Amino acid sequence: MKIAVYAFDGASMFHLSVPHLVFDEVARSGAAPWQTSLFSEDAGSVTTSEGYTLGGIEGLDSARDADLIVVPSWIQDGVAPSPALAELLQERHTRAVPIVGLCLGANALADAGLLAGRSAVTHWKSTEELARRHPEISVELSALYLDHGDVMTSAGTASGIDACLHIVRTRLGSAVANRVARHLVVAPHREGGQAQYIERPVPADSSGGAIAVACAFVLEHLTEELSVARLAEAAHLSERSFVRAFREETGSTPAAWVRSRRLDEARTLLETSELSVDQIAAACGFGSPVTLRQNFAAAFGSTPSSYRRRFGETRAASSPTKKSSPHRRTGRAERLGPT
């Protein structure tokens, strides 16, 4: 997959580096031959907001055969993209190439007309301005990222990493995304609908306090019934205090968080094991395959069997023993992945 990242004078080093950081790790790990490059209106160089000069920038034409285009940030609110850039984004969008706007990059997508009638997210400081300038867009106030398949937007700064990991996960599976996240030493999965500003989105170990203890308990007992009462007991809190503290620290209810972890495990088992759907339902604590199918379809717009087939095809297509051209999306736009 060829990924083109838009660069411009005044962009921060961090925003420009995020797609490279995540997508280049895919290539370095040997998971898939992804290639990431920077492009701008004119080939040559750009000067970052920190004062560094970056050379080797390609021109607009280099993005015309990209499989994914990323606008990693933007100049400032209210500045429209150049006609040439807007035309490129529009033309690639009509060719079913997914367009991603990270942080303030949502502004460029909005000004190019790619978000009309859609929901979108940007840095929390800019949500009001984006909503004022584009009343045709439903601007979310708290989501980390929103994926419509043909277009995707993310909230500010570090949530761009979450959005890029989401793309890895939906293209190559949870195992690859988790491996990339481990190499980068970042949280492997933060839900797109999670709040932008929360203390610990997915507590990873029991050293973080009562809620982290409860979350670790969930991961160790996914096959069992996990009621609020049981989790509160594990956290040594009253049920009322537990529910309040859980929402403050994770931005989610206990039931929704448990369901998401069960679905995460189901996806991993579908991608990496030969277990039947019935066995996976039992292993993830869904009680019955019907319950698994219902929750899976609601979350990912796919059946477990279809999901397994898709990632089986993805693994075969990315196998180094097969000679095949890079994956191109043609025809109708498909989802970058589940939201």
Side-chain angles (χ1 to χ4, degrees), residues 14-34:
F14 179 86
H15 288 109
L16 290 174
S17 70
V18 163
H20 277 275
L21 182 72
V22 176
F23 299 143
D24 287 359
E25 187 61 38
V26 170
R28 284 191 294 268
S29 69
W34 288 12

Side-chain angles (χ1 to χ4, degrees), residues 269-281:
L269 291 175
L270 287 166
E271 295 166 15
T272 61
S273 80
E274 300 300 324
L275 294 176
S276 68
V277 172
D278 288 26
Q279 291 171 319
I280 291 174

Side-chain angles (χ1 to χ4, degrees), residues 101-145:
L102 303 179
C103 195
L104 296 182
N107 286 278
L109 272 62
D111 289 340
L114 304 186
L115 299 177
R118 306 288 189 90
S119 56
V121 63
T122 187
H123 192 286
W124 61 269
K125 282 189 174 181
S126 299
T127 54
E128 291 185 5
E129 177 65 15
L130 180 60
R132 184 190 65 78
R133 292 177 55 239
H134 291 280
E136 75 280 8
I137 299 172
S138 174
V139 182
E140 298 285 341
L141 298 178
S142 62
L144 288 179
Y145 54 85

Side-chain angles (χ1 to χ4, degrees), residues 5-7 46 50 78 129 148 173 205 213 226 230 239 307 330-331:
V5 180
Y6 181 72
V46 297
E50 297 85 359
E129 177 65 15
H148 293 288
D205 56 56
V213 170
L226 295 170
R230 191 175 184 196
E239 291 186 34
Y307 185 88
T330 58

Side-chain angles (χ1 to χ4, degrees), residues 46-298:
V46 297
T47 302
T48 70
S49 61
E50 297 85 359
Y52 297 108
T53 299
L54 298 180
I57 308 298
E58 300 176 349
L60 285 179
D61 286 343
S62 69
R64 295 193 183 278
D65 63 346
D67 303 294
L68 180 74
I69 295 179
V70 181
V71 182
S73 184
W74 196 238
I75 303 163
Q76 63 185 56
D77 291 352
V79 175
S82 69
L85 176 60
E87 183 276 329
L88 171 71
L89 298 179
Q90 293 161 359
E91 190 273 335
R92 292 289 81 199
H93 182 252
T94 63
R95 301 283 185 175
V97 172
I99 312 295
V100 178
L102 303 179
C103 195
L104 296 182
N107 286 278
L109 272 62
D111 289 340
L114 304 186
L115 299 177
R118 306 288 189 90
S119 56
V121 63
T122 187
H123 192 286
W124 61 269
K125 282 189 174 181
S126 299
T127 54
E128 291 185 5
E129 177 65 15
L130 180 60
R132 184 190 65 78
R133 292 177 55 239
H134 291 280
E136 75 280 8
I137 299 172
S138 174
V139 182
E140 298 285 341
L141 298 178
S142 62
L144 288 179
Y145 54 85
L146 292 172
D147 178 9
H148 293 288
D150 56 333
V151 291
M152 180 178 179
T153 54
S154 84
T157 318
S159 60
I161 298 175
D162 298 301
C164 290
L165 283 172
H166 168 78
I167 293 171
V168 175
R169 183 176 299 105
T170 55
R171 292 294 184 99
L172 300 175
S174 297
V176 173
N178 290 344
R179 186 162 71 246
V180 170
R182 282 196 299 272
H183 287 174
L184 301 181
V185 197
V186 296
H189 189 196
R190 294 206 295 173
E191 300 289 346
Q194 193 167 282
Q196 285 191 34
Y197 28 89
I198 51 184
E199 293 182 13
R200 287 189 298 277
V202 182
D205 56 56
S206 59
S207 64
I211 302 306
V213 170
C215 289
F217 183 85
V218 168
L219 299 179
E220 294 168 3
H221 298 84
L222 278 179
T223 61
E224 304 170 17
E225 181 181 349
L226 295 170
S227 64
V228 169
R230 191 175 184 196
L231 297 183
E233 181 180 359
H236 303 292
L237 295 172
S238 69
E239 291 186 34
R240 178 176 295 181
S241 296
F242 172 74
V243 170
R244 181 175 62 251
F246 196 94
R247 181 176 285 279
E248 288 175 353
E249 295 204 27
T250 70
S252 176
T253 65
W257 199 86
V258 169
R259 183 170 59 251
S260 291
R261 302 292 73 73
R262 284 177 166 154
L263 287 169
D264 283 346
E265 181 68 9
R267 288 199 295 182
T268 299
L269 291 175
L270 287 166
E271 295 166 15
T272 61
S273 80
E274 300 300 324
L275 294 176
S276 68
V277 172
D278 288 26
Q279 291 171 319
I280 291 174
C284 299
F286 279 106
S288 75
V290 172
T291 303
L292 168 59
R293 290 187 180 97
Q294 290 174 340
N295 282 275
F296 203 91

